[in-house]
Amino acid sequence: MKFLVFEVIPMLEKELPSYHVGSTRVLMGDSLGGTLSLMTAIKYPNNFGKVIMQSPYVDDRVIEAVKESNEIANMTIYHTIGLDETEVPTTKDGTEDFLSPNRELNNMLEDLVNDYVYKELEGKHTWKQWQKDLPEAIKKIFNN
């Protein structure tokens, strides 16, 4: 998170000057990258105001961070999960259900975030699934 905020943003601002407005910056990721995107935006809301998360890993820490965030209502969030993500292989615990925790997160975000899109897609926890939805995600996140 610190790398993104204190090294990547200053380098990008130097190379591609912008208005230094965090609400226009997007973090995007799939799986743990989606989790990192959301958690970074929550921790640094003045630096990132938009999140695309495809099949993020959701646990109690993520749920708690969302509950405690005072800025999440002002973010733009695009969130997808695959309907077949009930047994996702992980390096930590064998397989995990990603669908149920993402549905729980969706229920929370629907109530908290003013600009939020949630979609359940056909498919598993693979790049092939996320890639197909990427044009739609980018259109939605930048048309606001």
Side-chain angles (χ1 to χ4, degrees):
M1 289 184 196
K2 288 180 181 179
F3 171 73
L4 289 169
V5 173
F6 299 111
E7 294 188 41
V8 173
I9 289 176
M11 184 218 31
L12 288 175
E13 290 294 341
K14 184 178 173 186
E15 297 297 320
L16 304 165
S18 69
Y19 293 108
H20 302 277
V21 180
S23 63
T24 63
R25 288 194 197 105
V26 180
L27 281 175
M28 180 177 112
D30 55 61
S31 196
L32 282 175
T35 309
L36 177 67
S37 296
L38 177 64
M39 297 295 278
T40 304
I42 288 172
K43 186 167 182 167
Y44 298 99
N46 294 326
N47 293 291
F48 304 102
K50 300 177 185 237
V51 174
I52 297 173
M53 52 182 179
Q54 298 173 302
S55 304
Y57 173 77
V58 177
D59 62 7
D60 292 340
R61 280 189 345 196
V62 173
I63 297 294
E64 198 57 37
V66 169
K67 283 181 188 174
E68 292 178 6
S69 174
N70 295 322
E71 301 292 328
I72 200 158
N74 301 318
M75 293 181 188
T76 299
I77 300 176
Y78 185 91
H79 176 193
T80 61
I81 187 70
L83 289 168
D84 296 326
E85 294 191 52
T86 55
E87 294 182 5
V88 176
T90 67
T91 56
K92 183 180 175 189
D93 295 320
T95 62
E96 291 207 28
D97 176 7
F98 275 41
L99 180 58
S100 297
N102 271 273
R103 284 178 170 165
E104 179 184 351
L105 179 61
N106 167 56
N107 289 334
M108 290 178 58
L109 292 175
E110 280 183 336
D111 294 335
L112 296 173
V113 180
N114 297 324
D115 191 3
Y116 174 64
V117 173
Y118 173 77
K119 291 170 53 179
E120 292 185 354
L121 308 171
E122 294 294 327
K124 297 183 178 196
H125 194 78
T126 65
W127 169 244
K128 187 176 182 179
Q129 171 184 304
W130 304 320
Q131 184 180 23
K132 286 187 282 187
D133 189 57
L134 199 51
E136 179 72 16
I138 290 170
K139 277 188 230 172
K140 292 270 190 204
I141 209 81
F142 285 110
N143 279 338
N144 293 318

